[in-house]
Each structure stands twice: as structure tokens, then as C-alpha cells.
Amino acid sequence: MQADDARYLKRIRLKSLNSNTDIASLARKVVEECRLISPSRLPEVEQLLFYLQNRKKSAEKKEKKQIKPRDLTPFEGMELDEEANINSIDDYVELLYEDIPEKIRGATLILHLARNPDNLEELLQNETALGALARVLREDWKQSVDLATTIIYVFFCFSSFSQFHGLITHYKIGVLCMSIIEHELKRYDLWQDELLKKKKNLKKEYEKALKKYHGLLTKQEQLLRVALYLLLNLSEDTRTELKMRNKNIVHLLVKTLDRDSEELLVLVVSFLKKLSIFLENKNDMAEIDTVEKLAKLVPCEHEDLLNVTLRLLLNLSFDTGLRSKMVQADLLPKLTSLLGDEAQRQIAMCILYHISMDDRFKSMFAYTDCIPQVMKMLFDCGDERIDAELISFCINLAANKRNAHIMCEGNGLKMLMKRALKHKDPLMMKMIRNISQHDGPSKNLFIDYVGDLAAQIGLKEEEEFVIECLGTLSNLTIPDLDWELVLKEYNLVPYLKDHLKPGSAEDDLILEVVIMIGTVSMDDSCAVMLAKSGIIPALIELLNAQQEDDEFVCQIVYVFYQMVFHQATRDVIIKETQAPAYLIDLMHDKNAEIRKVCDNTLDIIAEYDVEWGKKIQSEKFRWHNSQWLEMVENRQMDEAEPFMYGDDGEPYLQNGDILERSDLFYSADGIIPVDGAISPEFFTDFQNGDLLGPQGFPGRYI
């Protein structure tokens, strides 16, 4: 029965073929109804049907194995003393119109059919059966938990396939499941209250009531599992998920976390994990005690439950407030203990990484065994690449002073430095850089590695690695460190000068060079060496190029601040460059840090140079009185104010500088002479009380 062209093939679909089918009868029926098959070929048809029947059995077994992860385990009440047959579906539907026991039996028979995916298409065509099931569920679910569980299970079988979701929506099974879940959770609370009362007052009846309670609880949890699983499948559609959220699905799920059934908890936590990726659902979880309830599940012996709980906590840990709740729920030591579990290590470390992002919690890691564990993980990597999660976590931990001290204990710093220099690892060096920023014993340990770090700068290493080496050296503000010797031995001055040119390298590297110059400029001999090399004009040129970048401006001004402390470099800055003029311009910058460094630098310049001191004081006076000066300069001169004009009708101000008009200063007895021969320094002295008389009244200024 072969043909080369599909046009000569006739397909016969055998919907009723199963393990109990009479092959001989079915073969005769096929031959009778299909005129293209000769009656003489009846034995061949029987042989083909026999082959299909046996192949179908093996296919069913394979199919069941494939869908088992998405299926629910059988529960008590599903057992039958007969085998369901798709041809008897009408008889099963008739049972749905009888009493509750018969309804349960009819629904169970239909469920056995629905558990075979091959029957779903045919069941879909039977609107009578599906309509009857939906009606019975809607009317009788409160009368029998078994009945409700079985019917929902039937629709759950359809929900496992996206193409059947429209059917479930049509019969409004999802809405009904939400109502059933809410009702069952209220029943659970009532059972708990009744059991507690009997435990206090009726101890004899308590054991009997407890046994009954466990039986009811088992059936209820079966119902909750199948209903929640159906909703989980339906939530693949985000519009359906939004409808669930509007009906408070998050609160219902979180309330279910109080249960002890591990299978139910796996389902509930998985559902919450899926919902948590949307901000609105995450906010709903933040409003209630979700984290506190999840904390009770960590750690647990059920590996799947632990894994899905950690994944949910990871999703929630992106929220700052929820991270705080995790710490309050004592999750930090619990998560730390999971670092030793290879199966859960990566997820636990990701959560810990998120917690370590908050400065409030960095110090708390020092009171756990977390740091020794992660240090061991680093050293165990050998020549292999370190996981990004691990090294990122260590970088965050190293930003805390106490953590850094623990990391340096023993040969910690030596091992870190050895690995970083061997593999030229920029992330490892970033961790070392964070350690180097803390004052105390740990910083002094770096004296032994200054030469190794300086040697990396002159070489043509990867730029990111050089940046971290420079940053580490810049942090070493150690009095015993001879920076002049380091600069000379490793010939760093030409490198620093060359990399100050705008565009000579990436901005990050240039910025680190500026910071490095600021650190070594604290040493008098180094400052002189840098000044002679022509670095100060290069800094001014860089300041012009990067004047919009606050970080660059602040660091360059800080270099000037360090240099004006030394006589040699102070003279160069004041007499040979226009650095003070730039500083005066930056004195009123929007950035508070820049203003602060500028003011401190200008105060030192004003103290050592009288001419610049006057300019600086005049600018401060002008800025302090800018509103008044602007008002006077911009005021319109009109005839309504004749006192603004002289006797000849000419305005007093004309094109002159307002500060040179002494008769416009505020007047007081004996304070301002009529000739206006007074400088802004006078006001500073007056404010400081230098011109006050013995009783505190102003004396005459001569």
C-alpha cells in the first residue's frame, strides 16, 4: 500500500484505537467504509492495525515519561476498578447528573481519559462533557473536596498545553479556582483556631480532632496543588497574570507559605518566583511578610524547594528594602552556610553580593565565616578563571575596613597580590585596591609590594590592569614610603607627564594619573621633581580640556592644593602659571567639593602672596555682595530719581567700576572716609572685631 505521490494516498484516522480495541471488528469496519480498499486485503489491514495498536502502547509509555515533570502525582480517590474508555464518554457525562458519589466517579473516569494527551483533542470536541464538568464544579465544589479536586485536575490536563488555554478561559475555571483557593485558606484558619481551643480545653478530644485535621489537611493540599498548578500554567499569558494580580494572587500564595507540605511549597514558591519578575508583584510581596516566611525555608532538606526559594530570594534581592528585610530575618549567616553546598553556592553568592552592595551591611559579613570561605574559593581556583560572581562579591567586601583586615590575615594579601600579578587580573587588582584604601595595619603591608605595582605601570600591560595598579599606589599615603625613590627607580615621571595630555589615553587612566600625582605631591622632593618636569602646565591644559568633568576638576585642584604647601612648587604655581586665576574662577563652582578644595588652596596662596591675596579677597567681596552690585548696575536711571545724577545731569556711574565708587558704600559714623580709600580687607577686619573700641563700639578708622 505505497504510493510515490501524496495525491494517491487516503488517510484514515482511527480515533477509537486503544489497547482494548477488537482488531478484527475494526478492520472489517475500515474495509466496509473505505471503498478504495479491496475486501481481499482484510488480513493486511488487520496486521497494520495490530502494529499500530502495539506501537501506540509503547508511545503512550514514552509520552507519560516526558510529561511527568509537568504532571501531578496521583492522589487518593483516583483509583478505579475499571478502565476508562473514550467511547464511553457519554456514559461518564450521565454520571455527572447523579448524586455526589456518582459525580466523583464520572469525573474520575473522565480524568483518566484526560491524563492521556492523545484524548484531549477528542475531549475538546465534546462540549457537553466539558460544559457539564464546569457546571458541576461551579455548583458543587463546596460539597466535596474530592469532586472539586478531580474536576480541576481534568482542566489542569488541558492547561498543560497553551493551545487549550482559551477553553479554560471560556468556562471561567481560573476565576473559580481563585475563589476556591481563597475559601480553602479561610477554612484552614478556622481549623487551626478550633484545634487550638480543643488543645487548651478538651485534651481528650484533641487527639481525635488532630487525626481528623490531618486527613482534611491532606485532601485540602491536594486541591490547592492542582488549582495553583492550573493557575501557574494559565499565567503564561501576561494579561491573565495581571487579572490574577488584581484578584490578590500574591497574598494568597504568601499565605500558603505557612504550610508544611514540601510538594505544595515547591509549587507556591515557583509561582511567586514567576510573578516576582514584574515590579507590581514584587511590590505586593514587599508589603507583606514574604521574606520572613521564605527565611524559614532556608536551609531545608528538600533540594528542589531550597533551590527555588533561593531563586525567588535572588529576584527579590534587587530591591533595597527587601535586602534589608533579608538581613533582619537573619538570612546572612544562613546564606553563608550554603556557600559550602556546591548545588546552591552560585545562587547564594549572588544574593550575598546584592546584600554586600549596601554599605550598611558590609560590616556584618565580618561576624560570619563568609570571608574565610570566599578567600579559600579564590585560592582554590588555581590557574583557572575566577567566577565573576565570586570576584565581584570579594570586591564589595573589601570596601569595608574590618573585612579588609580579615582578608589580609596570615598570607592573605601576599596570595592575592601573587595571583593578581601573575594573571594580570584587573578584577583581582580592583579588590586589592579596595583593601589599600583603608588606614591601619593592612595599609602598611603594601610597602613590600610598591615596587611590584610600580613596575606594572611602565610596561605595556592591559589598560584596565594598569588603572587598578595606579589606583592602588595612589591609596598608599604612608609616611615611611619614599616616593622620590619610587619615581626615579621606575622612571615614572615621563609616563605621568605623557599621560596628562588630553586624548593620550582613556579618561579613566588619565584620571588615575592625576590622582597618583596628587598622592606623590605630598612629598616635598617629589613635588619639586614634578614641577621641574613641566607637569603643572600640563595639568592646566588638562583642566581646560576637562572643565565639564567635575571629577577631573576636583582632582586637578587637589594636586594644586598639595603643591602650594611646598615653597618651590608654590612659587612656580603663583609666579609662573595662571593656576590661581583658574582657581578663582572655580571658587564658585556648583560642586561643593570643588569649592571646598578651591577655597583651601586660595587661602594658602593669599597667605603667601599679597597681590593674589588682594585679588582673591576682592573676588570674595564681589561674590558676597553680587546681588546688591547687580541691582545697582542694572537699575534704570530715570528722572523720578534725581539723586542718581550729578549737578550737571550726568549719571554718577557712567562706565566706571561700581567698586571704585566709594560714595556708594554703606555709610556709618567714622567707618568709611569720604575719599573712599578703603579696601575689602577692612570689612574682614571689621567683622573679626579688630576695629572695635573698648566697649565694643566702633572706633574711628584713621
Side-chain angles (χ1 to χ4, degrees):
M1 297 173 66
Q2 295 180 348
D4 295 333
D5 196 330
R7 292 176 295 175
Y8 304 110
L9 291 175
K10 171 69 174 178
R11 296 186 182 276
I12 302 173
R13 194 173 297 277
L14 304 171
K15 295 183 179 180
S16 59
L17 180 63
N18 56 48
S19 58
N20 298 319
T21 301
D22 184 349
I23 296 298
S25 300
L26 182 59
R28 285 194 298 271
K29 187 177 181 181
V30 170
V31 172
E32 289 172 4
E33 294 185 0
C34 184
R35 297 178 181 178
L36 298 177
I37 301 176
S38 171
S40 62
R41 309 193 72 171
L42 180 62
E44 292 182 40
V45 175
E46 285 187 17
Q47 186 178 0
L48 282 171
L49 291 176
F50 179 76
Y51 166 73
L52 290 172
Q53 186 183 46
N54 291 325
R55 190 183 70 172
K56 197 175 183 69
K57 287 180 181 177
S58 61
E60 283 179 7
K61 291 178 181 177
K62 290 181 181 178
E63 184 68 24
K64 284 181 180 178
K65 287 182 181 178
Q66 290 174 357
I67 67 169
K68 192 171 181 180
R70 289 191 57 80
D71 206 350
L72 287 168
T73 55
F75 53 87
E76 187 180 352
M78 283 183 60
E79 301 85 2
L80 285 173
D81 54 1
E82 62 177 296
E83 189 166 353
N85 191 323
I86 192 69
N87 295 320
S88 304
I89 185 68
D90 294 337
D91 297 335
Y92 306 155
V93 174
E94 289 295 329
L95 293 174
L96 297 177
Y97 293 91
E98 303 296 333
D99 294 333
I100 295 297
E102 294 302 311
K103 287 179 179 178
I104 295 174
R105 183 166 175 270
T108 305
L109 286 163
I110 296 173
L111 172 59
H112 277 256
L113 294 174
R115 281 173 61 82
N116 183 355
D118 291 338
N119 294 327
L120 292 179
E121 286 282 0
E122 192 162 343
L123 287 172
L124 182 65
Q125 305 301 324
N126 197 326
E127 295 184 6
T128 305
L130 296 176
L133 286 169
R135 177 188 58 78
V136 172
L137 178 63
R138 191 161 44 251
E139 295 175 357
D140 298 332
W141 67 266
K142 288 186 179 180
Q143 298 184 37
S144 172
V145 174
D146 289 337
L147 179 61
T149 305
T150 305
I151 296 176
I152 294 175
Y153 206 149
V154 173
F155 286 103
F156 162 76
C157 294
F158 283 98
S159 73
S160 298
F161 302 93
S162 301
Q163 60 265 37
F164 298 137
H165 285 184
L167 162 76
I168 300 169
T169 305
H170 173 71
Y171 289 108
K172 299 183 178 178
I173 302 301
V175 178
L176 195 53
C177 284
M178 293 281 292
S179 301
I180 292 172
I181 293 169
E182 188 174 4
H183 176 78
E184 291 300 326
L185 292 177
K186 289 179 181 177
R187 286 180 65 191
Y188 175 76
D189 292 338
L190 291 174
W191 294 345
Q192 294 277 59
D193 294 340
E194 290 177 9
L195 202 61
L196 190 61
K197 289 177 183 177
K198 288 184 179 180
K199 187 176 182 180
K200 290 181 179 179
N201 304 323
L202 303 169
K203 294 185 179 180
K204 294 180 180 179
E205 297 181 9
Y206 174 69
E207 292 183 6
K208 184 178 178 182
L210 184 62
K211 188 175 181 181
K212 181 182 178 182
Y213 165 76
H214 285 306
L216 292 171
L217 194 61
T218 301
K219 287 183 176 293
Q220 188 188 66
E221 287 179 347
Q222 290 171 352
L223 173 59
L224 290 175
R225 277 182 62 212
V226 69
L228 287 171
Y229 215 147
L230 183 143
L231 292 175
L232 177 59
N233 288 340
L234 292 181
S235 66
E236 291 177 2
D237 186 343
T238 53
R239 293 170 298 179
T240 304
E241 184 179 308
L242 181 58
K243 293 177 182 177
M244 293 181 193
R245 183 202 172 244
N246 293 336
K247 290 188 175 293
N248 227 10
I249 185 66
V250 172
H251 287 71
L252 295 178
L253 289 169
V254 173
K255 196 172 182 180
T256 314
L257 288 174
D258 294 327
R259 303 302 182 99
D260 296 324
S261 171
E262 291 178 336
E263 290 183 344
L264 177 61
L265 287 172
V266 168
L267 177 59
V268 170
V269 177
S270 299
F271 204 160
L272 284 170
K273 181 177 75 70
K274 182 184 183 304
L275 295 172
S276 66
I277 63 175
F278 290 100
L279 180 65
E280 296 81 3
N281 296 329
K282 184 268 297 179
N283 290 339
D284 287 346
M285 295 178 201
E287 292 174 0
I288 47 184
D289 52 350
T290 309
V291 170
E292 290 79 0
K293 291 186 177 182
L294 291 172
K296 297 176 183 177
L297 304 177
V298 180
C300 68
E301 295 181 0
H302 195 289
E303 190 171 335
D304 291 337
L305 177 57
L306 178 58
N307 186 268
V308 73
T309 301
L310 291 175
R311 290 182 181 279
L312 172 56
L313 287 170
L314 177 60
N315 286 358
L316 298 178
S317 66
F318 285 89
D319 183 275
T320 307
L322 289 172
R323 288 203 297 268
S324 179
K325 287 187 177 182
M326 290 178 193
V327 175
Q328 293 170 10
D330 205 27
L331 267 173
L332 199 58
K334 293 181 178 181
L335 292 168
T336 299
S337 66
L338 291 174
L339 292 176
D341 184 350
E342 192 171 349
Q344 316 297 346
R345 178 182 298 163
Q346 187 173 13
I347 307 173
M349 188 174 295
C350 289
I351 301 171
L352 289 170
Y353 167 74
H354 284 166
I355 294 174
S356 69
M357 290 168 60
D358 197 321
D359 290 336
R360 295 175 298 167
F361 307 132
K362 281 187 174 74
S363 61
M364 300 181 71
F365 287 91
Y367 301 98
T368 68
D369 62 342
C370 179
I371 297 174
Q373 285 195 68
V374 296
M375 291 292 285
K376 184 178 183 301
M377 290 179 202
L378 283 177
F379 300 144
D380 287 346
C381 289
D383 293 335
E384 297 178 5
R385 181 181 177 87
I386 302 175
D387 290 337
E389 294 83 1
L390 174 59
I391 190 62
S392 301
F393 181 36
C394 291
I395 290 170
N396 280 358
L397 291 178
N400 176 265
K401 185 175 182 178
R402 186 176 180 83
N403 295 342
H405 290 337
I406 297 174
M407 289 175 175
C408 293
E409 288 178 355
N411 291 324
L413 181 60
K414 180 180 179 181
M415 298 290 287
L416 291 172
M417 192 68 73
K418 183 179 178 181
R419 180 182 172 85
L421 294 174
K422 180 181 178 181
H423 297 281
K424 310 298 182 185
D425 188 344
L427 292 178
M428 180 70 81
M429 189 55 70
K430 185 182 287 290
M431 176 185 173
I432 294 171
R433 177 181 178 177
N434 280 358
I435 295 174
S436 69
Q437 69 184 344
H438 306 294
D439 294 327
S442 60
K443 180 170 284 192
N444 293 326
L445 296 174
F446 280 87
I447 291 180
D448 297 334
Y449 307 104
V450 170
D452 294 326
L453 292 168
Q456 308 304 313
I457 295 172
L459 302 175
K460 293 184 178 180
E461 299 291 351
E462 186 181 351
E463 192 169 276
E464 290 183 13
F465 183 69
V466 174
I467 287 172
E468 300 306 331
C469 290
L470 276 170
T472 305
L473 287 172
S474 301
N475 288 333
L476 302 184
T477 52
I478 305 172
D480 297 335
L481 184 56
D482 188 349
W483 278 114
E484 183 182 12
L485 180 63
V486 174
L487 294 179
K488 288 180 178 178
E489 185 171 345
Y490 295 95
N491 196 28
L492 293 182
V493 174
Y495 176 90
L496 297 176
K497 183 180 178 182
D498 291 343
H499 284 77
L500 285 178
K501 298 175 183 177
S504 61
E506 293 292 331
D507 284 354
D508 289 343
L509 179 58
I510 298 175
L511 180 61
E512 292 302 330
V513 168
V514 174
I515 296 172
M516 177 71 176
I517 293 171
T519 299
V520 300
S521 295
M522 297 172 67
D523 184 278
D524 185 50
S525 55
C526 287
V528 173
M529 188 190 308
L530 293 172
K532 289 180 179 178
S533 69
I535 272 182
I536 296 176
L539 285 170
I540 294 175
E541 182 184 354
L542 182 62
L543 181 62
N544 283 328
Q546 299 287 354
Q547 56 186 325
E548 299 299 325
D549 191 318
D550 284 356
E551 183 66 22
F552 263 102
V553 173
C554 190
Q555 294 298 342
I556 293 172
V557 173
Y558 179 75
V559 173
F560 293 152
Y561 173 71
Q562 291 293 346
M563 287 188 168
V564 295
F565 274 109
H566 314 296
Q567 178 65 41
T569 50
R570 183 168 58 244
D571 291 342
V572 173
I573 289 175
I574 294 174
K575 297 177 181 178
E576 299 180 16
T577 72
Q578 290 298 312
Y582 283 100
L583 293 173
I584 289 175
D585 289 339
L586 293 169
M587 192 166 54
H588 313 301
D589 194 88
K590 294 179 181 179
N591 189 296
E593 288 298 321
I594 294 176
R595 292 200 305 271
K596 182 179 178 181
V597 180
C598 272
D599 286 343
N600 293 337
T601 309
L602 289 171
D603 287 345
I604 297 172
I605 292 174
E607 184 178 348
Y608 286 96
D609 189 280
V610 177
E611 184 179 347
W612 275 112
K614 290 181 179 180
K615 292 180 181 179
I616 293 166
Q617 199 165 19
S618 176
E619 178 59 28
K620 287 183 177 181
F621 176 81
R622 180 189 295 274
W623 179 260
H624 184 72
N625 296 280
S626 59
Q627 290 183 346
W628 178 78
L629 294 172
E630 185 179 357
M631 180 271 293
V632 173
E633 288 176 340
N634 296 334
R635 191 166 183 176
Q636 296 296 325
M637 316 291 186
D638 53 31
E639 295 180 358
E641 297 176 321
F643 51 85
M644 292 293 292
Y645 295 83
D647 295 336
D648 56 355
E650 292 294 325
Y652 280 119
L653 300 180
Q654 295 183 359
N655 297 324
D657 188 344
I658 186 67
L659 291 178
E660 296 177 1
R661 297 295 302 179
S662 58
D663 51 347
L664 292 180
F665 287 127
Y666 289 112
S667 180
D669 289 341
I671 293 181
I672 301 177
V674 293
D675 60 355
I678 188 169
S679 68
E681 294 94 318
F682 168 77
F683 291 98
T684 303
D685 295 338
F686 181 70
Q687 290 171 356
N688 294 335
D690 295 341
L691 302 179
L692 296 181
Q695 284 82 26
F697 293 100
R700 178 153 313 266
Y701 183 85
I702 300 175

